[in-house]
Amino acid sequence: MRTTRRDLYAASAAVLLFAAALLVGRHIEDAEGSLRLRWPPLYAYWLPHVGPGTPAALAFAVLTVAYGPVLARRLRWRRLLLAGWAGSSAWLWSLALVDGWQRGVAERLTTKYEYLQAVGGVDDVGAALRTFTDRIPYGPDNWPAHVAGHPPGALLTFVGLDRIGLGGGAWAAAWCVTAASTAAVAVLVTLRALCGEETARRAAPFTVLAPAAVWQAVSADGWFTGVTAWAVALLALAATGRTRSPRAAALGAGLLLGGACYLSYGLLLMAPVCLGVLAAARTLRPVPYVLLGMVPWVATFTAAGFWWPEGYSVLVGRYYEGAAGVRPYGYFVWANLAANVAVVGVATAAALRHAGVALPGAVRGLRREPARGDAALALLVAGAVCAVLAADLSGMSKAETERIWLPFTLWLIPAAALLPERGSRYWLAAQAVGALTINHLLVTGW
C-alpha cells in the first residue's frame, strides 16, 4: 500500500506539472503572445471531436487493458513480437483516424511547413545537397521550416518515396506510421536482450498502448523513432551477445545511427541512450563497429557537398530568427517536460520513481557483473532521461517537444515494467484514457 501511495503521488505530481504549464502558459500567451502556442504547453488547439477511428481506438484500448497483460505472459516470444507490431499499428492508425482521413492522415504531411512541399523542387539530388545549407536561412528561396530544421536525409526520404511512385501525403503517412509501429518491437527486443524476457513481457502492453502514438501518427518523427529504436535494439544484441554475429549487429546499429544523424540534428543525443545500453551490458566491444557503420553516411554526405556541422550552425541562426527568438527559455525549460507527461503518460511518471530507486544499486552492481532485470532497465531509462534533459537544456527545444523528443521518450515508457504487477491494468487504463482524451479534445499539429 505504501508503494501504491507513492506511485500515485508521483503520478499526481506529473499531472500538476502539466496543469501548471497549461495555466502559466495560457497567462503568458494572453499577456505577451510570446509562446506562439494556442494550447500551451502542447502545439495543439482545442476542438472536441470524434472520427472514424474513434470506435476502433476505444475497442482496442479496452481489449488491450483486459487481455494485454495475459497475452504478454502466455504468447510465445515470436508471436508476442508479431502481436506487438500488429497492436502498435492498430493503435497508431485508429488514433490518426480520429481526426479523419484527410486531416489525420492524407494532409498531415502536406502543410506549408512540411517536407512534401519541397519534394517537387528537387530535380537534381546532387545540386540540392550542394546548396542545401545555403537555403536554410530565411530568404526568397529558403526551405520550408521542417526541411530547413533537419539535415537533408529527412527530405531525401520523401524524395525517394516520390521517385518510386509513392508520392503524396497518404503514402508519406503510411511510411511514417509503419516505421513508428515497428519501434514497439524494437523495444521488446532490446529489453529481452538487456533485462531478460520477463521484464520485456511486463513492458509489452505499455509499449503498445503508449500515449506517444498520438504524435507518432502521423509525423516524420515517427519515422525517426523507428530508425533509432532499431539502432538501439541492434546495439543491445551486439553488447549482450544475444545474436549469432555481434559484430554485424554492431555494424548495423552504426549504419542506423549514422543515418539517423542525417535525419535530425537532435538525434545525436541518442548517445546517452546507447551509453545506457553499453553500461547495462558492461562492455565497449561494439563501439568500434558502431563508429565504422556511421562512416559511410558522413563520407557520402560530405563528399556530396553537405557538411553537418555547418548545416547545424546555420540552422541555429534561423531558429532564433523565428519563433524561438521570442519564446521564453524560462518557461519552456520546464514546460517542455510538462508537455511530455502527455506523451509518456502517468504510468511512466510513477514508474520513473521506481527507476530512480533502482538506479544507485544498478550502478554499484556494475562493479561485479553486467546488469540484468530491473537494474538493467533502470540504466536504460537513465540514459533516456539524460537525453531528454540535454535536449531540454540546449535551448534548441522550445515547444513541439511532444513530437521532437519521441526517439528519446520512447525509452522512458518501458519503465512501466517496474510498477507492481497487481495494479498494472489500472495503470494501463490510465495510459489509454490519457491518449484518448488528448486525441479527442485537441487537434495536435506541427
Side-chain angles (χ1 to χ4, degrees):
M1 290 297 295
R2 183 180 302 151
T3 298
T4 301
R5 283 198 301 271
R6 289 175 178 174
D7 291 344
L8 290 174
Y9 293 154
S12 299
V15 172
L16 289 174
L17 178 65
F18 184 88
L22 172 61
L23 295 174
V24 173
R26 189 69 268 163
H27 173 73
I28 294 174
E29 185 64 10
D30 290 343
E32 304 173 5
S34 59
L35 301 186
R36 305 289 179 89
L37 297 176
R38 296 169 65 179
W39 209 83
L42 301 177
Y43 191 85
Y45 61 90
W46 179 265
L47 183 64
H49 63 287
V50 296
T54 297
L58 291 171
F60 181 79
V62 170
L63 290 173
T64 303
V65 171
Y67 300 106
V70 175
L71 291 175
R73 288 194 301 268
R74 295 181 179 177
L75 286 176
R76 294 181 179 178
W77 179 249
R78 291 186 178 180
R79 291 185 178 179
L80 177 59
L81 294 182
L82 289 173
W85 187 16
S88 180
S89 297
W91 185 230
L92 286 162
W93 278 111
S94 61
L95 289 177
L97 289 170
V98 168
D99 293 338
W101 173 256
Q102 291 299 322
R103 184 173 63 188
V105 179
E107 297 177 355
R108 181 67 89 172
L109 297 174
T110 63
T111 69
K112 64 179 181 179
Y113 305 109
E114 286 286 357
Y115 305 96
L116 296 188
Q117 290 293 322
V119 166
V122 182
D123 299 318
D124 183 337
V125 171
L129 289 174
R130 288 190 297 272
T131 61
F132 191 87
T133 302
D134 297 334
R135 297 176 62 184
I136 292 175
Y138 284 108
D141 192 33
N142 67 296
W143 294 115
H146 283 192
V147 178
H150 295 78
L155 172 61
L156 293 183
T157 297
F158 299 102
V159 171
L161 288 175
D162 183 73
R163 297 299 187 268
I164 63 173
L166 302 180
W171 282 115
W175 174 268
C176 293
V177 171
T178 301
S181 67
T182 68
V185 183
V187 169
L188 297 183
V189 170
T190 303
L191 294 180
R192 189 190 189 214
L194 274 183
C195 312
E197 192 169 312
E198 181 183 351
T199 300
R201 289 178 179 274
R202 291 203 312 268
F206 292 94
T207 303
V208 169
L209 203 63
V214 173
W215 292 273
Q216 288 176 341
V218 176
S219 75
D221 294 87
W223 156 233
F224 307 160
T225 301
V227 172
T228 53
W230 281 107
V232 174
L234 288 174
L235 180 62
L237 291 172
T240 58
R242 296 291 296 270
T243 178
R244 293 180 181 179
S245 182
R247 293 177 181 176
L251 192 65
L255 285 169
L256 291 176
L257 287 171
C261 288
Y262 286 89
L263 293 174
S264 173
Y265 295 105
L267 293 180
L268 195 65
L269 291 177
M270 286 302 297
V273 180
C274 294
L275 289 175
V277 171
L278 295 173
R282 202 167 174 261
T283 182
L284 294 175
R285 287 192 302 271
V287 172
Y289 300 96
V290 171
L291 295 176
L292 182 62
M294 298 176 72
V295 167
W297 293 103
V298 178
T300 300
F301 276 97
T302 302
F306 175 77
W307 179 233
W308 194 99
E310 182 186 9
Y312 178 73
S313 177
V314 175
L315 167 65
V316 172
R318 169 163 173 167
Y319 184 64
Y320 278 94
E321 286 179 18
V326 297
R327 284 173 169 165
Y329 180 86
Y331 170 77
F332 283 103
V333 75
W334 63 274
N336 284 336
L337 303 177
N340 279 273
V341 170
V343 178
V344 300
V346 293
T348 302
L352 288 177
R353 185 187 74 82
H354 290 268
V357 170
L359 185 60
V363 173
R364 289 194 298 269
L366 291 176
R367 300 173 184 173
R368 301 183 299 274
E369 59 185 358
R372 295 292 291 171
D374 292 355
L377 181 54
L379 290 166
L380 177 63
V381 170
V385 169
C386 289
V388 167
L389 292 178
D392 190 38
L393 296 173
S394 71
M396 290 296 289
S397 294
K398 293 182 178 180
E400 300 182 61
T401 57
E402 60 270 21
R403 167 185 59 83
I404 299 169
W405 290 356
L406 285 171
F408 314 137
T409 53
L410 173 74
W411 299 100
L412 300 177
I413 293 169
L418 300 172
L419 293 169
E421 191 171 356
R422 184 173 58 181
S424 62
R425 279 197 175 89
Y426 296 106
W427 288 116
L428 198 56
Q431 297 288 84
V433 168
L436 291 168
T437 300
I438 289 171
N439 216 47
H440 284 84
L441 294 183
L442 302 175
V443 173
T444 57
W446 30 88

